[in-house]
PDB file of all heavy atoms in Angstrom:
ATOM      1  N   LEU A 118     -12.555 -10.327  12.655  1.00 80.00           N
ATOM      2  CA  LEU A 118     -11.615 -11.172  13.397  1.00 80.00           C
ATOM      3  C   LEU A 118     -10.775 -12.018  12.463  1.00 80.00           C
ATOM      4  O   LEU A 118      -9.576 -12.239  12.703  1.00 80.00           O
ATOM      5  CB  LEU A 118     -12.390 -12.060  14.379  1.00 80.00           C
ATOM      6  CG  LEU A 118     -13.063 -11.335  15.552  1.00 80.00           C
ATOM      7  CD1 LEU A 118     -13.873 -12.326  16.387  1.00 80.00           C
ATOM      8  CD2 LEU A 118     -12.034 -10.627  16.422  1.00 80.00           C
ATOM      9  N   SER A 119     -11.403 -12.498  11.378  1.00 72.00           N
ATOM     10  CA  SER A 119     -10.645 -13.293  10.406  1.00 72.00           C
ATOM     11  C   SER A 119      -9.549 -12.461   9.754  1.00 72.00           C
ATOM     12  O   SER A 119      -8.416 -12.924   9.581  1.00 72.00           O
ATOM     13  CB  SER A 119     -11.598 -13.834   9.342  1.00 72.00           C
ATOM     14  OG  SER A 119     -10.888 -14.504   8.322  1.00 72.00           O
ATOM     15  N   PHE A 120      -9.862 -11.214   9.415  1.00 68.00           N
ATOM     16  CA  PHE A 120      -8.866 -10.341   8.791  1.00 68.00           C
ATOM     17  C   PHE A 120      -7.730 -10.024   9.760  1.00 68.00           C
ATOM     18  O   PHE A 120      -6.545 -10.058   9.389  1.00 68.00           O
ATOM     19  CB  PHE A 120      -9.530  -9.053   8.326  1.00 68.00           C
ATOM     20  CG  PHE A 120      -8.577  -8.055   7.731  1.00 68.00           C
ATOM     21  CD1 PHE A 120      -8.136  -8.186   6.430  1.00 68.00           C
ATOM     22  CD2 PHE A 120      -8.110  -6.991   8.485  1.00 68.00           C
ATOM     23  CE1 PHE A 120      -7.249  -7.281   5.886  1.00 68.00           C
ATOM     24  CE2 PHE A 120      -7.229  -6.076   7.951  1.00 68.00           C
ATOM     25  CZ  PHE A 120      -6.801  -6.216   6.643  1.00 68.00           C
ATOM     26  N   LEU A 121      -8.075  -9.723  11.005  1.00 72.00           N
ATOM     27  CA  LEU A 121      -7.050  -9.384  11.998  1.00 72.00           C
ATOM     28  C   LEU A 121      -6.135 -10.561  12.284  1.00 72.00           C
ATOM     29  O   LEU A 121      -4.924 -10.387  12.497  1.00 72.00           O
ATOM     30  CB  LEU A 121      -7.709  -8.908  13.291  1.00 72.00           C
ATOM     31  CG  LEU A 121      -8.413  -7.553  13.234  1.00 72.00           C
ATOM     32  CD1 LEU A 121      -9.104  -7.258  14.553  1.00 72.00           C
ATOM     33  CD2 LEU A 121      -7.426  -6.441  12.892  1.00 72.00           C
ATOM     34  N   SER A 122      -6.676 -11.768  12.287  1.00 71.00           N
ATOM     35  CA  SER A 122      -5.867 -12.941  12.617  1.00 71.00           C
ATOM     36  C   SER A 122      -5.035 -13.442  11.451  1.00 71.00           C
ATOM     37  O   SER A 122      -4.087 -14.199  11.639  1.00 71.00           O
ATOM     38  CB  SER A 122      -6.771 -14.076  13.109  1.00 71.00           C
ATOM     39  OG  SER A 122      -7.671 -14.467  12.081  1.00 71.00           O
ATOM     40  N   THR A 123      -5.370 -13.034  10.230  1.00 62.00           N
ATOM     41  CA  THR A 123      -4.621 -13.504   9.059  1.00 62.00           C
ATOM     42  C   THR A 123      -3.756 -12.387   8.492  1.00 62.00           C
ATOM     43  O   THR A 123      -2.570 -12.282   8.774  1.00 62.00           O
ATOM     44  CB  THR A 123      -5.586 -14.045   7.995  1.00 62.00           C
ATOM     45  OG1 THR A 123      -6.564 -13.033   7.680  1.00 62.00           O
ATOM     46  CG2 THR A 123      -6.294 -15.297   8.490  1.00 62.00           C
ATOM     47  N   ALA A 124      -4.373 -11.517   7.703  1.00 59.00           N
ATOM     48  CA  ALA A 124      -3.593 -10.454   7.057  1.00 59.00           C
ATOM     49  C   ALA A 124      -3.165  -9.380   8.038  1.00 59.00           C
ATOM     50  O   ALA A 124      -2.086  -8.791   7.896  1.00 59.00           O
ATOM     51  CB  ALA A 124      -4.410  -9.834   5.923  1.00 59.00           C
ATOM     52  N   GLY A 125      -3.988  -9.107   9.052  1.00 62.00           N
ATOM     53  CA  GLY A 125      -3.695  -8.002   9.951  1.00 62.00           C
ATOM     54  C   GLY A 125      -2.370  -8.122  10.654  1.00 62.00           C
ATOM     55  O   GLY A 125      -1.637  -7.138  10.799  1.00 62.00           O
ATOM     56  N   THR A 126      -2.025  -9.322  11.107  1.00 67.00           N
ATOM     57  CA  THR A 126      -0.756  -9.501  11.819  1.00 67.00           C
ATOM     58  C   THR A 126       0.436  -9.224  10.918  1.00 67.00           C
ATOM     59  O   THR A 126       1.415  -8.603  11.345  1.00 67.00           O
ATOM     60  CB  THR A 126      -0.682 -10.929  12.366  1.00 67.00           C
ATOM     61  OG1 THR A 126      -0.911 -11.856  11.290  1.00 67.00           O
ATOM     62  CG2 THR A 126      -1.729 -11.170  13.439  1.00 67.00           C
ATOM     63  N   VAL A 127       0.352  -9.667   9.665  1.00 62.00           N
ATOM     64  CA  VAL A 127       1.458  -9.434   8.726  1.00 62.00           C
ATOM     65  C   VAL A 127       1.558  -7.961   8.377  1.00 62.00           C
ATOM     66  O   VAL A 127       2.648  -7.406   8.252  1.00 62.00           O
ATOM     67  CB  VAL A 127       1.265 -10.289   7.457  1.00 62.00           C
ATOM     68  CG1 VAL A 127       2.419 -10.072   6.481  1.00 62.00           C
ATOM     69  CG2 VAL A 127       1.153 -11.760   7.822  1.00 62.00           C
ATOM     70  N   ILE A 128       0.409  -7.295   8.212  1.00 59.00           N
ATOM     71  CA  ILE A 128       0.408  -5.872   7.871  1.00 59.00           C
ATOM     72  C   ILE A 128       1.081  -5.065   8.975  1.00 59.00           C
ATOM     73  O   ILE A 128       1.880  -4.161   8.714  1.00 59.00           O
ATOM     74  CB  ILE A 128      -1.030  -5.387   7.624  1.00 59.00           C
ATOM     75  CG1 ILE A 128      -1.575  -5.996   6.331  1.00 59.00           C
ATOM     76  CG2 ILE A 128      -1.086  -3.865   7.540  1.00 59.00           C
ATOM     77  CD1 ILE A 128      -3.037  -5.713   6.092  1.00 59.00           C
ATOM     78  N   VAL A 129       0.773  -5.379  10.227  1.00 69.00           N
ATOM     79  CA  VAL A 129       1.395  -4.671  11.354  1.00 69.00           C
ATOM     80  C   VAL A 129       2.903  -4.880  11.339  1.00 69.00           C
ATOM     81  O   VAL A 129       3.685  -3.945  11.554  1.00 69.00           O
ATOM     82  CB  VAL A 129       0.782  -5.143  12.684  1.00 69.00           C
ATOM     83  CG1 VAL A 129       1.574  -4.586  13.861  1.00 69.00           C
ATOM     84  CG2 VAL A 129      -0.663  -4.710  12.785  1.00 69.00           C
ATOM     85  N   ALA A 130       3.319  -6.117  11.068  1.00 70.00           N
ATOM     86  CA  ALA A 130       4.758  -6.410  11.019  1.00 70.00           C
ATOM     87  C   ALA A 130       5.442  -5.615   9.909  1.00 70.00           C
ATOM     88  O   ALA A 130       6.536  -5.060  10.104  1.00 70.00           O
ATOM     89  CB  ALA A 130       4.976  -7.902  10.818  1.00 70.00           C
TER      90      ALA A 130
END
Side-chain angles (χ1 to χ4, degrees):
L118 292 176
S119 175
F120 177 80
L121 291 176
S122 62
T123 55
T126 54
V127 181
I128 291 173
V129 171

